[in-house]
Amino acid sequence: MATLSTTTVENSATRAPHQGPPPSENKRRGVPRAYYVMLIPVLVIFTGFIIVPALLGFGYSFTDYVGYGSFHVIGLLNYATIFSDPNILQSYAFTLVFALVTTILVNLVAMAIALGLASRIRLKIALRGIFFIPMVISGLVIAYVFNYLFSTSLPAIATAVGFAPLETSVLTTQAGGFVAIVLVSIWQAAPGAIIIYLAGLLAIPEDVYEAGALDGATSWKRFRHLTLPLVAGYLVINTILGFKGFLNSYEIVVALTSGGPGTSTMTVAMTIFTGFTSGDYAYQMANAFIFFLVAVFFSLAQLRLIRTRGVSL
Amino acid sequence: MTDIVPAESLSAARPIGSSQVRRRTLLRSAGGLAALGALAPALSACGGASDDANAIRFESMKSETAPYFEQLINDFNASQKTVTASHDSTSNLVAGFVRGTPPDLDCDNFDVQTALFITRGVLNDLGDLPEAGRVRDDIKELAAQYGSYRGQTSVLPYSITAAGVIYNADLFAKYNVKVPTTWSEVIKACETFKANNITPIYATYKDTWTVQQGLFDYVAGGLVDSAKFFTALKAEGADVSSSSSTSFTKTFTPAVEKMQKLRQYLNPDAASRSYDDGNAAFAAGKVAMYFQGPWAFTGIDTLSPKFDVRTFPLPVTEDPADTLVRVNLDLACWIPRSSQKAAAAKTLLSFLFQDSVINKYNQDNLAFSPLKNAPEVTDNRLAGLRSYVAAGKFYQGAGGYIPLTIPARSYIQGFFISGNGPELLNKLDTDWARLARRTET
């Protein structure tokens, strides 16, 4: 964004000052109407389907509305109760830890695979296609299949081999459920990150590496001092988008553990969604608003952290 | 991230004044369109009122009986010329109320969600219909136990299902185990089966409703008067805690202790088994008892069990006279207050409540008719439960009284996995108090 305004200022400064172009020239030199034609419908839809419902939900969060019938305005009671509700607090803790762990792991895995796919290996194109497959399958389908693998196939294999720790399904404990959800999330999210890293890696010009080879750089030094700084922008994108995405994780958790055992692996999105089916709409709208603030906070914090490190997007 | 727009076109920008005007016009028009967009739903709702007052929508979401009701609706339409009914089995009820388009007559499972419709006052009063007078009072009472609205009759029960312990009669005969009538006989039966490497009771924790419906409700129902307990609990409201005069901890501890005793007789892989796995395992013949209702018979039958399938109600005390059977209103009919076609809907209701229709439905679907003077159910599998339903010795499952806000089913599943009874009851107490604090009951 910074580049746009500087260009405009520079150029208008070099032109001869005048009162303003005659009205007929406005249309010729203004931003073409085509941009507005493309923008307005999307703006209307966005406002109508996202902004308006969000505002409605926020308004209802001060009542005990269930979506129909009579209701009372109860002020901040919903918000006050949320901070003493162990189920909600636990879901926030779980979601934050999960998002952090998964973001880090996804980026490590994706970077490693992307480095491999960018190098001169055989069957490069075929492998890139194969690694892309998890991205095209719906998260829900993936999670149901993995649910079956974890709860039936893995115990069967473990029993046959005699490996005791895996004989009971890993999904029946909180720790095991957490690991399973992380693994499946990585499996699904890695292709997206790989694509972005691959684009970044392939954009690095060869002469950088040639210069490095001349200076006698080992592969680790090459990675640390040449590759990494040049893909830093892509790392930033993946981290911000990834963290935001994992904060919202719903489908994989629903299909893998349904928040079980008990309510120990429920994420915030799952908890909010139960508000629709359990007649607790207003309470969960309050929860949703708080979640919105949390997500905005983290995104701004990340952006700030990145700007202070001088990485340009 | 490179600029998409080439710098040249932007360098030809007009002076600040005119582009600001342009932006303002843009925002104004976008706002205007958005406001119109927000109005549109209100306008379309107005338009719906001109529908034909004799074309009604009947809804029943129970998938197992959808073809049955489809046929009934066709019969209704053929039997008279005034009202035309259409059968819907998929529309979401809550969404229907939110949008202001609920079905004109609904016939669905009566649960705590229906109770919410009742207490929020969105259902019509059916109390002065002749059909209301033909339903047994003790069964009408069941509907009122979850809550009522200004004393009106909001639903009319259509079908009662009785759920007990489904057992493999051949296995019982093989090991000389007779049908238990006291709690100690239940334990003895479990011991016998366990000693002979037969799974005494098959549990399926993965589907949390099965744990609440069977293991929890059967044991709690025989020891706790749920209707009385929950009325007292609602009165206690936000003061509920482990030490208050009415609390889960105080009343349910004996029941939870008995559930703990049962835990050792369950299949060890229960936590990763689902409802379908349970039906399959029971049908395969290596399980003695299965805590499920008659809906499971459909699943079990498709796997062609090669043994005699029967049921008995679970005794939880030493006195056989205390034994009760768990029932629920599998189908109950209601008409929304906002419906413009209540008169037409009531004619369909009368048709469905004719003796020949309602009693035949219940016979065909392994359920009990709620009418006074209903004929006896003949299916052998329900023989053990018949007399209890006829005599009114039943209860509605305790788990069903708990509002869905409190994830009781998940808690119960967690209890059966961990075995920590006090934790379950304490969680229920604190959640109940917290919910009462922020809602007006």
Side-chain angles (χ1 to χ4, degrees):
Chain A
M1 293 301 156
T3 41
L4 298 177
S5 49
T6 35
T7 325
T8 330
V9 166
E10 280 166 4
N11 282 301
S12 53
T14 51
R15 265 190 285 121
H18 53 279
Q19 305 296 48
S24 56
E25 287 190 39
N26 256 339
K27 296 188 185 104
R28 229 187 329 121
R29 271 189 277 179
V31 177
R33 197 175 292 136
Y35 290 130
Y36 292 122
V37 170
M38 286 188 277
L39 193 58
I40 291 181
V42 178
L43 198 61
V44 167
I45 292 174
F46 191 82
T47 312
F49 286 101
I50 297 184
I51 307 286
V52 169
L55 289 175
L56 278 177
F58 177 64
Y60 281 126
S61 69
F62 296 106
T63 69
D64 62 357
Y65 192 50
V66 295
Y68 49 83
S70 56
F71 64 95
H72 309 93
V73 176
I74 57 175
L76 290 171
L77 199 48
N78 283 333
Y79 290 92
T81 316
I82 284 177
F83 289 105
S84 66
D85 189 336
N87 288 333
I88 291 188
L89 297 175
Q90 143 89 13
S91 71
Y92 272 94
F94 180 82
T95 311
L96 287 171
V97 170
F98 163 75
L100 189 65
V101 168
T102 314
T103 309
I104 294 173
L105 289 177
V106 163
N107 281 293
L108 285 175
V109 166
M111 178 62 94
I113 296 179
L115 282 171
L117 290 178
S119 62
R120 273 182 300 236
I121 55 170
R122 291 220 297 241
L123 301 174
K124 207 163 39 178
I125 308 296
L127 279 175
R128 285 180 193 171
I130 290 174
F131 277 109
F132 187 65
I133 289 176
M135 194 172 181
V136 299
I137 312 177
S138 145
L140 210 55
V141 171
I142 293 175
Y144 275 120
V145 173
F146 270 98
N147 188 336
Y148 180 81
L149 291 176
F150 281 126
S151 54
T152 313
S153 311
L154 202 55
I157 296 175
T159 325
V161 167
F163 184 59
L166 283 178
E167 271 174 27
T168 49
S169 160
V170 296
L171 300 176
T172 56
T173 60
Q174 184 188 23
F178 177 78
V179 169
I181 297 172
V182 168
L183 282 176
V184 178
S185 301
I186 293 175
W187 197 85
Q188 200 211 7
I194 292 173
I195 301 268
I196 294 183
Y197 282 137
L198 203 53
L201 289 171
L202 292 175
I204 299 175
E206 266 304 304
D207 30 336
V208 170
Y209 291 123
E210 280 171 17
L214 281 174
D215 285 345
T218 60
S219 11
W220 168 248
K221 275 203 159 46
R222 227 174 56 171
F223 177 72
R224 171 86 177 76
H225 297 287
L226 296 176
T227 314
L228 207 50
L230 289 171
V231 295
Y234 298 85
L235 184 71
V236 158
I237 296 166
N238 270 333
T239 315
I240 295 186
L241 290 181
F243 192 77
K244 175 198 78 75
F246 293 125
L247 271 185
N248 285 336
S249 55
Y250 175 76
E251 345 170 279
I252 291 187
V253 186
V254 152
L256 261 184
T257 61
S258 291
T263 53
S264 55
T265 59
M266 287 204 68
T267 59
V268 182
M270 276 185 76
T271 314
I272 291 174
F273 195 75
T274 62
F276 296 113
T277 49
S278 65
D280 222 7
Y281 169 71
Y283 185 60
Q284 293 301 343
M285 282 300 105
N287 190 9
F289 183 67
I290 293 179
F291 186 49
F292 164 70
L293 294 177
V294 167
V296 166
F297 167 74
F298 276 107
S299 300
L300 290 178
Q302 279 173 318
L303 273 176
R304 193 119 196 288
L305 197 67
I306 283 144
R307 288 227 188 91
T308 58
R309 284 172 165 265
V311 175
S312 65
L313 270 174
Chain B
M1 300 309 237
T2 51
D3 302 302
I4 306 166
V5 178
E8 292 76 42
S9 66
L10 289 161
S11 67
R14 294 145 294 122
I16 309 291
S18 47
S19 45
Q20 262 183 349
V21 170
R22 271 297 198 111
R23 248 197 312 274
R24 269 214 296 275
T25 341
L26 155 71
L27 290 172
R28 225 182 274 146
S29 51
L33 279 167
L36 265 177
L39 273 176
L43 294 170
S44 66
C46 298
S50 57
D51 269 2
D52 176 16
N54 281 320
I56 57 173
R57 185 159 67 93
F58 169 79
E59 175 149 5
S60 176
M61 296 219 296
K62 195 167 148 148
S63 52
E64 297 92 334
T65 52
Y68 196 99
F69 273 107
E70 186 76 40
Q71 182 58 46
L72 275 180
I73 298 301
N74 289 339
D75 292 344
F76 170 74
N77 287 333
S79 72
Q80 44 79 51
K81 294 281 178 288
T82 352
V83 181
T84 331
S86 63
H87 177 231
D88 181 352
S89 61
T90 52
S91 301
N92 186 300
L93 292 174
V94 173
F97 276 107
V98 173
R99 284 194 283 254
T101 57
D104 298 296
L105 175 66
D106 182 83
C107 200
D108 269 312
N109 186 25
F110 182 84
D111 56 9
V112 73
Q113 175 64 61
T114 323
L116 200 57
F117 292 151
I118 293 178
T119 50
R120 293 289 166 142
V122 293
L123 301 183
N124 234 331
D125 187 356
L126 303 174
D128 27 351
L129 289 181
E131 286 74 29
R134 289 163 52 213
V135 175
R136 278 167 58 176
D137 288 324
D138 52 1
I139 291 182
K140 268 203 292 218
E141 174 60 27
L142 292 176
Q145 282 171 353
Y146 283 173
S148 66
Y149 181 74
R150 301 193 182 153
Q152 70 176 37
T153 307
S154 305
V155 302
L156 282 184
Y158 196 79
S159 169
I160 318 295
T161 45
V165 178
I166 303 178
Y167 69 98
N168 185 331
D170 292 1
L171 274 181
F172 269 58
K174 181 168 171 195
Y175 294 102
N176 264 324
V177 178
K178 63 185 224 335
V179 173
T181 51
T182 67
W183 175 252
S184 24
E185 283 176 21
V186 172
I187 301 299
K188 218 163 58 129
C190 290
E191 284 291 337
T192 315
F193 289 116
K194 193 168 172 186
N196 286 294
N197 270 328
I198 307 275
T199 311
I201 305 169
Y202 199 85
T204 55
Y205 300 161
K206 203 153 91 162
D207 285 326
T208 53
W209 66 270
T210 64
V211 197
Q212 175 241 312
Q213 169 314 113
L215 289 163
F216 184 83
D217 279 353
Y218 290 0
V219 179
L223 294 170
V224 175
D225 184 340
S226 303
K228 221 164 53 158
F229 169 73
F230 281 97
T231 318
L233 204 67
K234 279 194 198 135
E236 192 87 22
D239 296 326
V240 167
S241 74
S242 314
S243 45
S244 64
S245 54
T246 317
S247 67
F248 283 94
T249 312
K250 199 159 281 171
T251 319
F252 278 76
T253 302
V256 168
E257 279 166 7
K258 290 208 153 82
M259 288 177 220
Q260 227 137 9
K261 191 103 206 327
L262 284 183
R263 274 180 75 236
Q264 46 186 293
Y265 302 114
L266 305 173
N267 46 322
D269 59 350
S272 41
R273 293 286 149 240
S274 69
Y275 171 60
D276 293 322
D277 295 328
N279 292 343
F282 182 77
K286 298 211 193 57
V287 170
M289 293 181 269
Y290 188 40
F291 284 23
Q292 271 292 359
W295 43 81
F297 289 138
T298 339
I300 295 174
D301 284 346
T302 54
L303 301 158
S304 313
K306 296 184 182 42
F307 50 84
D308 205 9
V309 178
R310 301 264 173 156
T311 46
F312 66 85
L314 184 75
V316 282
T317 61
E318 295 309 311
D319 183 0
D322 287 341
T323 308
L324 304 167
V325 78
R326 178 192 183 276
V327 296
N328 68 303
L329 297 178
D330 195 51
L331 287 179
C333 299
W334 48 259
I335 297 176
R337 187 184 298 281
S338 63
S339 169
Q340 312 280 9
K341 310 177 190 176
K346 284 174 186 169
T347 54
L348 177 56
L349 187 68
S350 310
F351 175 84
L352 290 173
F353 264 85
Q354 290 171 89
D355 275 343
S356 50
V357 179
I358 186 174
N359 292 333
K360 180 168 189 301
Y361 168 84
N362 283 299
Q363 281 280 15
D364 291 347
N365 290 285
L366 304 175
F368 295 83
S369 165
L371 299 183
K372 308 173 177 169
N373 317 319
E376 220 181 43
V377 166
T378 50
D379 196 298
N380 262 332
R381 290 171 290 189
L382 295 176
L385 308 176
R386 269 202 299 252
S387 53
Y388 290 87
V389 179
K393 293 173 71 167
F394 45 54
Y395 59 86
Q396 288 192 103
Y401 285 87
I402 303 175
L404 293 164
T405 316
I406 301 173
R409 287 178 178 177
S410 302
Y411 290 160
I412 294 171
Q413 182 211 44
F415 157 66
F416 271 96
I417 292 179
S418 68
N420 190 341
E423 185 192 21
L424 164 69
L425 298 175
N426 190 35
K427 265 205 271 216
L428 287 172
D429 280 327
T430 45
D431 276 18
W432 185 278
R434 194 180 313 112
L435 180 61
R437 222 177 294 134
R438 65 176 172 87
T439 50
E440 301 200 18
T441 34

